[in-house]
Amino acid sequence: MYDLDVPHASYEKEINKVKMNMASLEDNKDMVSAKRKKESERYQILMDKLKDEVKKQQDHCNRVMARLKQQCQGWFPKRSTKNETITQFLQLCIFPRCCFTASDAMYCAKFVLVIHNLKTENFSTLLCYDRVFSEITYTLTSCTESEASRYGRFLCCMLSQVIKWHSDKSVYEKECGDFPGFVTVLRASGAESSNKADQLDFENFRHVCHKWQYKLTKAVVACLESKDYTQIRNTLILLTKILPYFPLVENLGNVLEKRVDKIRVEEKEKRPDIYALAMGYSGQLKARKPSMIPEAKFHTKEAKASAPINVKKEPGTADATDSEQVQVKTEPDVRVNGENIEKKERISSSSSKSDLHHSKKTDQSSKSMNKDKESKEDKIESKSRKIKEEKNHRSSKSHREEKEKGHSIKIKEENGREEKTKSKKDKEDRREESKRDGKSKGDEKEQRASSETSSSSSQGSANVPIRQELSPVRDESEREPKRRKMEGSASSTVSKVSN
């Protein structure tokens, strides 16, 4: 930006601040005179530095512009059509850079204006602005949140320049009147067959500006009705950035306000972030509603069905009032929003019948062209709807597959749990059976032992009591010799003692 533009407004603002500070110093009587003098000198030095800086930057910009003016005639080769030139310029230069940073977005918008001011050959300013304002849906869909904010800043800078030309006829005639970027018709005039360029007049340019506002509204409403989270979020971010210059027409603003209010109601409980963006934009839009312009003041509706741009009695005139007819040619190429239409017209006599016949032909051709455009726009809309339906179908399919996968996983887990419980039950049953078998075997052994004991007891039942009765007799017989010995030993000891 330092090479292309000098921010005079910012410098003037800072210089005025310094002047106000100097005036406040003079009114301040409490300050010491010496200190007041030093402060005033410091402010004076600062103001001189700012003025010198403005001059230096202006000289630098003049040198850069002089160099660009020498080189600009070779930027866009004549062998390629203007439609191809604008397409490559936007794809390779503007769109890749306008989403990097906020300063890059402003630089891209300024560079388009520089190319226009340099009167660069084979560059149509009208076609460039028409492409930028007409094709925002796909760009918005592919942006992140921060990139959408920068893209909105870029569109805001482009709209500011367009509204500047729209607001004042003298400014438009000064900055666009004889510039090649606003050429609409190249035609053969008279028998000399010299090409003359028809410039877009101010009223038709106002009509083109209204068409751009309408196209932006249509694209924005389509994005808001898509029910896609990314598109809705990016669209609301972009709308907050371009709010100073869009919407400017009352009926378009009302349509947009209704759609935003609908989103605000629908997304209140579903997606709180989108609800917050919609609430913020709705409040700002209602605050700007008093400054909107009625459609009758924004452009004259009669210009829609007006005669050719420059009404002359020369054959080969074409109607360029419609905003889609940005660039028109008769002999080589007739451009209507990127379409090539070949026209070969013969120079007829100056009779009134031929003039009437030619005017009827031009009206029919313009009507057919408008019908073709409407059909193409309908096809594009149907294709976009089909693409959205396919996306929704795919997303629903993926959602169903995920649900089925989760359901199958749950079923597998339940089956595994049932198998585990069954295995546990089988183990427990086996253990119980083994215990029962062990008990039955022990009972059988006990029964066998009891049967054996019963049999043995039956056989020797007579001997058992005899043994039991003899056992105490045996004990007493064994104890008697011991007693006798003890008594003998005791008597012997007594006799010894007595002796």
Side-chain angles (χ1 to χ4, degrees):
M1 288 296 292
Y2 182 81
D3 296 331
L4 300 181
D5 185 37
V6 181
H8 291 285
S10 300
Y11 277 110
E12 288 178 359
K13 187 177 179 181
E14 293 298 324
I15 290 170
N16 290 330
K17 281 184 181 179
V18 173
K19 288 180 179 179
M20 289 174 66
N21 291 331
M22 290 177 69
S24 64
L25 278 176
E26 292 178 358
D27 295 336
N28 190 2
K29 296 180 180 180
D30 296 334
M31 189 179 291
V32 182
S33 60
K35 189 176 181 181
R36 189 188 306 163
K37 187 177 180 180
K38 287 181 181 179
E39 289 292 326
S40 62
E41 289 176 357
R42 186 173 66 83
Y43 285 135
Q44 187 65 40
I45 292 168
L46 181 60
M47 189 164 56
D48 294 337
K49 284 182 179 179
L50 288 172
K51 290 179 179 179
D52 293 337
E53 189 175 344
V54 172
K55 289 180 182 178
K56 288 179 182 179
Q57 190 171 354
Q58 187 65 54
D59 294 339
H60 175 73
C61 288
N62 292 335
R63 289 193 296 271
V64 171
M65 287 298 169
R67 183 179 176 184
L68 293 177
K69 195 171 185 179
Q70 292 176 357
Q71 298 175 353
C72 68
Q73 303 306 325
W75 288 348
F76 306 108
K78 293 182 180 179
R79 63 177 178 271
S80 61
T81 60
K82 289 186 178 181
N83 185 24
E84 295 174 354
T85 300
I86 295 301
T87 302
Q88 293 178 0
F89 174 69
L90 293 175
Q91 287 180 351
L92 303 177
C93 300
I94 298 299
F95 288 147
R97 186 170 180 179
C98 69
C99 295
F100 278 165
T101 60
S103 59
D104 286 325
M106 296 173 68
Y107 175 81
C108 290
K110 183 65 180 176
F111 192 75
V112 173
L113 183 62
V114 167
I115 296 174
H116 166 74
N117 290 333
L118 291 174
K119 298 183 179 180
T120 308
E121 293 182 357
N122 204 28
F123 181 82
S124 176
T125 310
L126 276 176
L127 189 57
C128 180
Y129 278 94
D130 186 71
R131 287 286 186 82
V132 169
F133 296 139
S134 301
E135 301 172 0
I136 68 168
T137 306
Y138 299 107
T139 309
L140 271 179
T141 307
S142 61
C143 286
T144 62
E145 188 173 354
S146 57
E147 288 174 348
S149 176
R150 295 160 194 158
Y151 184 59
R153 190 179 290 273
F154 165 71
L155 289 180
C156 182
C157 294
M158 297 284 279
L159 284 169
S160 66
Q161 188 60 43
V162 169
I163 299 305
K164 178 185 174 184
W165 292 333
H166 173 273
S167 59
D168 193 354
K169 186 176 181 179
S170 61
V171 174
Y172 175 79
E173 290 177 353
K174 181 181 177 181
E175 298 183 1
C176 307
D178 58 347
F179 283 71
F182 279 76
V183 173
T184 57
V185 180
L186 286 173
R187 64 185 179 185
S189 62
E192 298 176 356
S193 69
S194 61
N195 291 333
K196 282 190 176 182
D198 283 352
Q199 299 293 128
L200 188 69
D201 62 357
F202 180 66
E203 290 300 327
N204 285 313
F205 176 72
R206 285 163 67 86
H207 177 64
V208 171
C209 290
H210 178 265
K211 285 289 183 181
W212 288 338
Q213 293 271 326
Y214 173 76
K215 284 183 178 181
L216 282 173
T217 307
K218 189 176 180 181
V220 165
V221 170
C223 290
L224 293 175
E225 290 178 349
S226 65
K227 295 184 180 179
D228 182 66
Y229 173 78
T230 305
Q231 281 189 347
I232 296 172
R233 181 199 64 190
N234 292 347
T235 303
L236 290 172
I237 292 170
L238 180 135
L239 286 172
T240 55
K241 293 295 180 181
I242 64 176
L243 185 61
Y245 305 103
F246 175 83
L248 292 179
V249 186
E250 282 185 354
N251 54 356
L252 301 179
N254 293 331
V255 171
L256 193 58
E257 185 181 0
K258 288 179 182 178
R259 186 58 211 161
V260 172
D261 290 338
K262 188 178 179 182
I263 288 176
R264 183 168 55 83
V265 173
E266 290 176 352
E267 303 295 338
K268 186 174 182 180
E269 296 179 356
K270 294 180 182 178
R271 292 180 280 203
D273 54 344
I274 291 180
Y275 170 72
L277 289 172
M279 279 289 291
Y281 178 71
S282 178
Q284 294 178 9
L285 184 63
K286 288 176 181 177
R288 280 196 57 84
K289 204 169 181 181
S291 62
M292 292 183 185
I293 307 169
E295 187 178 356
K297 291 184 179 179
F298 192 84
H299 74 117
T300 54
K301 293 184 179 181
E302 295 177 357
K304 217 175 200 178
S306 64
I309 297 172
N310 291 328
V311 180
K312 295 182 181 180
K313 290 183 179 180
E314 297 174 357
T317 56
D319 188 5
T321 56
D322 194 0
S323 66
E324 296 175 355
Q325 296 179 358
V326 176
Q327 180 187 355
V328 184
K329 293 183 181 179
T330 55
E331 287 287 330
D333 290 324
V334 176
R335 283 207 178 283
V336 180
N337 203 6
E339 297 176 356
N340 295 330
I341 303 169
E342 295 182 356
K343 285 187 180 179
K344 293 181 180 180
E345 298 176 351
R346 295 179 180 179
I347 302 172
S348 60
S349 62
S350 60
S351 62
S352 61
K353 291 181 180 180
S354 62
D355 292 336
L356 291 170
H357 183 66
H358 182 69
S359 63
K360 287 179 181 180
K361 280 186 177 180
T362 54
D363 292 335
Q364 290 176 359
S365 63
S366 62
K367 287 179 181 178
S368 62
M369 287 160 64
N370 291 328
K371 288 180 181 179
D372 293 335
K373 289 167 193 173
E374 289 176 357
S375 63
K376 286 184 179 180
E377 287 180 356
D378 294 334
K379 288 180 181 179
I380 291 167
E381 288 179 358
S382 63
K383 285 182 181 179
S384 62
R385 287 174 185 171
K386 287 181 181 178
I387 291 166
K388 290 175 183 177
E389 289 176 356
E390 289 177 358
K391 286 181 179 178
N392 294 327
H393 186 63
R394 289 174 184 172
S395 62
S396 63
K397 274 187 176 179
S398 62
H399 189 62
R400 288 174 186 172
E401 289 175 357
E402 288 177 357
K403 281 186 176 179
E404 289 176 357
K405 286 180 181 178
H407 187 62
S408 62
I409 290 166
K410 288 180 180 179
I411 291 169
K412 288 179 181 178
E413 289 178 354
E414 289 177 357
N415 292 331
R417 290 173 184 172
E418 289 178 356
E419 288 176 357
K420 287 180 180 179
T421 53
K422 285 180 181 179
S423 62
K424 287 181 180 179
K425 287 180 180 179
D426 292 336
K427 288 180 180 179
E428 290 177 356
D429 293 336
R430 288 172 187 172
R431 288 175 185 174
E432 289 178 357
E433 288 177 358
S434 62
K435 287 179 181 179
R436 289 172 185 173
D437 293 335
K439 287 180 180 179
S440 62
K441 287 179 182 179
D443 294 335
E444 288 177 358
K445 287 180 181 179
E446 288 177 357
Q447 287 175 1
R448 288 176 186 174
S450 63
S451 61
E452 289 176 358
T453 53
S454 62
S455 61
S456 61
S457 62
S458 63
Q459 289 175 1
S461 59
N463 297 324
V464 171
I466 295 167
R467 288 177 183 175
Q468 290 177 355
E469 291 174 357
L470 290 173
S471 58
V473 175
R474 288 178 183 176
D475 293 336
E476 290 178 358
S477 62
E478 288 177 356
R479 288 175 183 175
E480 285 179 357
K482 289 181 180 181
R483 288 176 183 174
R484 290 174 183 174
K485 286 180 181 180
M486 290 292 287
E487 289 176 357
S489 63
S491 62
S492 62
T493 51
V494 169
S495 62
K496 285 180 182 181
V497 172
S498 62
N499 292 328

